[in-house]
Structure formats: structure tokens, C-alpha cells
Amino acid sequence: MLVLLGFAMIAVFMVLIMTKKLTPVLALIIVPTIFGLFAGAGLGIGPMVMDSMKSMTSTAALLMFAIIYFGLMIDVGLFDPLVKFILRKLGNDPAKVVLGTAILAAAVSLDGDGSTTFILTTAAMLPVYLRLKMSPVVLTCVAGLANGTMNILPWGGPTARAATALKLDVNDVFVPMVPSLIVGLIVVLVFSWLLGLQERNRLRTTAPEIWGDVADPSDAFDGGRGGTGASKGRFGFGRTGSTTTAPKPVTGGGAGVAVLERTEELVDDHDTAMADTALDPNRTTLRPKLFWFNLGLTVAVMVTLVANIVPLPFVFMVGAAIALLVNFPKVKDQGAQLIAHAPSIVAVVSMVMAAAVLTGVLNGTGMVKAMSEWLVQIIPADMGPFMAVITGVLSIPMTFFMSNDAFYFGVLPVLSETAAHYGVGAADMARASITGQPFHLQSPLVPAILLLVSLAKVDLGDHHKKVLWRTAVISIVMLAVGILTGAIGIG
């Protein structure tokens, strides 16, 4: 009964958020509560949820103050030069922008922290997507693909958990999987390019007012200074030698440069501070004289994060406090900044707290344990030699609806013990178990993905529609490469 209820609960939750019948927050609260009561939790469901929520408080604090800090840095203009640089290098071709997003996310993912990756990637790329009227869902999809693939790095967490659970050296688990990682990243880049081509084709028909004659998108950030008499046409290629025109050219713009007078005309939504601050070069929150201070403070924050000297939530608390005090000395302005970022904060923190209901019910009612034991029991004896392959396939859905700790310390040892009877080594099992990480990172139980969709103001269901099947493909490809290279053996 617990097995059926567990799988049914996950299925109902996914259907409700992907069909947009309920918001993720409501689905995370209502669905587990109903199924938990059916499982016989009774009044004990309260303590189950509270115990789970205690482990979420530090994560909620981290995300809350990280949003304040990086939102503030966007407001004061720290990332404006980076946005202009990206636009000039990538042009106004959506395919190049999406590919650049994947490369940036993969590079930042080297630090092993998903939250940091998504914060920096969103801060740098979201203004570009909004400026070019591209879909933010594409941004979250590509960032999720890249970070999920890179999550098998030894310092990322899952590989270390797998090695620890099976008493192996972490390098023995990771090094043979390097070819799988490389091929996985190639697949990520292919998916990114194809998504970019789709955006290019979509924008040709949906936003002709932007893509008709804009010569250099980055001019919108510097008041149209400079310019050229040549037009690249739509997406930066096509016509040459023609003079561009625009309904309202910017005063002082160079000859032939088509730039809209107000960049906010390119943005559909102004509700959140993260949505349009980097699009307005004349916003009152800009602090150009404090650029080097803010850059130095941000570097100090990131170095402290990587060094892991003090708890991460405290790092962002202190960083946000210093940034607010220096950039906005007046109490009134400090309060206004906090209010400006309230929508993003409420969105992500509420989802983190709501996720505690799902994890609390799964663990407290024994659903997770029952589901894992059932999966082990149903594996036929003649499939024993293929236990590593089976584990790789199981890791895709199982790490999605349970935490990495639950899977690697609860399920993997049982699977590995069974596999040993068929001559499948523990190292093979550990390597296979990490191939599901691209899919795992998209789970609503992962705080980092909640942060990503909140910063980009993307619905979690929309993100899942675009990203889940692609991450499943990447996981299967990584598993297949591991088998072909001998990193994942068959007994």
C-alpha cells in the first residue's frame, strides 16, 4: 500500500503542476498531506513535516539573502558591463545566446554549487533574454541541463555520497566517468543550439518589431553611442548596407542605429526587480561610482563561498547588509530595496518550505523505504548481471522524488549488495548511480532549481515540460557511454 501511495503521490503532484491545475507551492502542500493521511499518518503528519522543515531553514535563509544580494548587485549596475559584453560577442542571434548560456552555466558549475551557478547565470543572462524578447524558460532549461550534467564532479556531492556509501575512493568512481561527462556536455550543447534555433524561428514571427532592423542590441544599454550605417537584418545576419530606422531613435545615437527610446518596451513584465533592472540604463538605483567596491565585495563573497570558511547563509547575510549600507545609506532606500525583491524571495522561500511537506511525508510514513525495497524485490534473478545498468536507469526517477542522501545511503547499498552476488562490483554500481543526476537536479526537492525558476520568473511546470525529457536523454547517454567504455560493467 505504501508503495502504491508513494508512486501515486509523485504522479499526481507532477500532473498537477505540469497541467497548471495547482501552483507548485500548493501542490507541494496539499498532495502530500492528502496522501499522508491515506497512509495512516494521522495527527503525526505535523511532527513529520516540522522535522523535515528544520533541515530546510538554513537553505531558505541562504536563498533569501542570496536573492537580496544579487538582486541588489543587478540594481546598482554591477552586471551591466557584462551584459553589454555578452551582447556584443554573441550579437542578437538567439542560437548563439542560448549556446553561450550553456557554456557559462557549465563553467560556473565547476564550483560544485548549484545555487551559485544559477544565481550568476541568471544575473548575467536574464537581462539579455528579456532585452531580445527570448523565453526565460529556455534559459532555465539550458542552465538546468548544464548544471545537472556537471553535478557528477567529485566535489558536487552525489559522487562523494556514492563513494562513501560503498566505501570506495571518490577518484575511482569519478575518473572512469570522465568520457561520459564529456559526451553528456556535448549533448547539452547540441540541445542548447537546437533550442536557440527554435527561438530564432519563433522570434522571426512573434517579434518582428525588434528583429527587423536592430543593428547592435547592446546600444540600448549605452544610449546608442557610436553606431554604423549597416544593418545586420534579423538575428544579426542577412542585409548589409541599408540604413535602419526605428519609431523612436535615441537622442545622440549614431547614424543609422535603430534603438528604441525606452528599453522597457521590450519587456512584458515589470513586477519583479530581477526582471528588468538591467534593461534600463537610466534607472535611479545605478551606482557607477561604487562599481569597483561592489565588484570587490562580490569577489570576496564568492571566494568565501568556495573556501567554505563560514556557513553560506551567513556569508550572504553579511554581504547583503554591507551592500545595502554602502549603496543605499538612507533607511528609506534600504527598505525600498528589500521590498523590491520581495516577490522573488516569497516565491522561492515558500517553495522550499512547502517542499518540506513532501519530504516529511515520504520519509515519515515510510514510503521511501517501502518504494526502494519493492524495486529491489521486483528485479528478476536473471537480470542480476545487469544490476549496474538497472541501477543507472532507476537512478533517474528515484533521485527525482527522493533526496540524494536517501538514495545513496539508503537504496544504493541494498542494490550493490544484491549486485555482488552476480559479480557486479561496487565501483560499477557507484558509477551507474550518478548518471541520473541531470534528471535529479530538476526535482522540486532540490532548492537550487526552485531558486532558478524563481529568479527567472518561470513556472516550474513550464520548466519541467521543456527540461525533463532532455535530461532523461542525457542521463541515458551518459549511462550508455559508461557501459561502452567499460566504466560500468556487466557481471
Side-chain angles (χ1 to χ4, degrees):
M1 180 60 71
L2 287 176
V3 174
L4 290 175
L5 287 175
F7 283 114
M9 181 172 68
I10 300 300
V12 170
F13 167 76
M14 294 301 299
V15 169
L16 287 175
I17 66 169
M18 294 185 73
T19 58
K20 297 185 179 180
K21 300 297 183 182
L22 286 178
T23 65
V25 172
L26 292 182
L28 283 167
I29 296 172
I30 296 173
V31 175
T33 299
I34 294 174
F35 278 87
L37 293 175
F38 272 114
L43 295 178
I45 195 171
M48 293 178 191
V49 173
M50 295 310 297
D51 287 342
S52 178
M53 195 172 292
K54 289 177 183 177
S55 64
M56 298 283 195
T57 53
S58 61
T59 300
L62 166 64
L63 300 183
M64 174 180 174
F65 286 97
I67 289 172
I68 294 175
Y69 182 84
F70 283 100
L72 177 65
M73 288 298 111
I74 291 177
D75 285 351
V76 300
L78 177 64
F79 298 105
D80 282 20
L82 177 60
V83 172
K84 292 198 297 186
F85 174 80
I86 292 173
L87 282 171
R88 288 197 171 102
K89 291 300 180 181
L90 299 179
N92 56 356
D93 184 352
K96 293 180 181 178
V97 171
V98 177
L99 188 63
T101 303
I103 295 172
L104 175 62
V108 181
S109 294
L110 288 170
D111 74 346
D113 182 69
S115 297
T116 303
T117 297
F118 294 146
I119 288 170
L120 294 181
T121 302
T122 306
M125 299 306 299
L126 181 60
V128 178
Y129 277 69
L130 295 176
R131 171 64 179 83
L132 303 182
K133 267 194 178 291
M134 295 171 61
S135 171
V137 182
V138 175
L139 187 158
T140 64
C141 175
V142 170
L145 292 175
N147 183 253
T149 304
M150 293 290 286
N151 202 44
I152 73 168
L153 292 172
W155 52 88
T159 302
R161 286 182 175 91
T164 302
L166 301 184
K167 298 179 175 57
L168 300 168
D169 185 276
V170 69
N171 288 327
D172 290 340
V173 177
F174 172 71
V175 173
M177 291 298 290
V178 170
S180 291
L181 175 61
I182 294 173
V183 175
L185 288 174
I186 292 174
V187 177
V188 169
L189 296 179
V190 171
F191 275 139
S192 301
W193 180 254
L194 294 176
L195 283 168
L197 293 179
Q198 290 176 9
E199 280 295 281
R200 177 195 291 177
N201 294 331
R202 181 184 67 82
L203 290 168
R204 276 177 172 160
T205 56
T206 61
E209 76 280 4
I210 297 177
W211 298 103
D213 296 302
V214 177
D216 184 0
S218 62
D219 287 331
F221 291 91
D222 58 15
R225 290 187 292 275
T228 176
S231 169
K232 296 180 182 179
R234 293 181 179 180
F235 308 105
F237 55 85
R239 293 205 310 263
T240 58
S242 63
T243 302
T244 62
T245 58
K248 296 179 181 180
V250 176
T251 304
V257 178
V259 185
L260 297 182
E261 183 176 20
R262 292 179 60 81
T263 56
E264 56 263 33
E265 291 181 29
L266 303 181
V267 184
D268 294 322
D269 198 336
H270 301 265
D271 291 339
T272 66
M274 296 296 287
D276 66 348
T277 50
L279 298 178
D280 186 359
N282 301 311
R283 59 190 184 275
T284 58
T285 57
L286 282 175
R287 298 292 186 269
K289 293 182 180 180
L290 294 173
F291 174 82
W292 292 108
F293 169 81
N294 290 320
L295 178 61
L297 178 62
T298 301
V299 171
V301 168
M302 297 311 298
V303 170
T304 307
L305 287 176
V306 175
N308 199 23
I309 302 173
V310 294
L312 303 189
F314 184 65
V315 174
F316 278 113
M317 284 181 179
V318 174
I322 295 174
L324 273 171
L325 183 62
V326 175
N327 287 278
F328 301 93
K330 296 182 179 179
V331 175
K332 181 180 179 181
D333 293 337
Q334 294 170 7
Q337 277 297 300
L338 292 175
I339 293 174
H341 300 290
S344 296
I345 295 170
V346 171
V348 68
V349 173
S350 63
M351 274 200 285
V352 170
M353 293 292 102
V357 181
L358 181 59
T359 57
V361 170
L362 278 171
N363 293 317
T365 60
M367 288 183 187
V368 167
K369 183 179 180 181
M371 292 160 73
S372 60
E373 291 177 349
W374 175 78
L375 286 171
V376 172
Q377 292 173 1
I378 66 170
I379 298 174
D382 56 354
M383 295 294 290
F386 300 94
M387 281 298 296
V389 179
I390 293 172
T391 298
V393 174
L394 288 177
S395 71
I396 298 174
M398 292 193 73
T399 58
F400 184 81
F401 59 74
M402 66 173 64
S403 68
N404 274 338
D405 286 335
F407 178 75
Y408 288 107
F409 294 116
V411 180
L412 182 58
V414 177
L415 293 172
S416 181
E417 184 178 350
T418 304
H421 296 293
Y422 299 96
V424 180
D428 298 284
M429 295 292 290
R431 294 170 196 140
S433 70
I434 63 176
T435 58
Q437 285 305 302
F439 199 84
H440 161 75
L441 255 292
Q442 317 312 316
S443 170
L445 302 182
V446 176
I449 205 65
L450 301 181
L451 175 64
L452 174 63
V453 297
S454 296
L455 292 180
K457 203 177 182 185
V458 167
D459 184 82
L460 183 62
D462 291 338
H463 173 75
H464 279 164
K465 287 179 184 178
K466 194 171 287 289
V467 79
L468 286 184
W469 74 266
R470 290 180 171 89
T471 50
V473 170
I474 294 172
S475 292
I476 294 297
V477 168
M478 293 175 68
L479 178 62
V481 173
I483 295 171
L484 292 174
T485 59
I488 300 173
I490 298 175

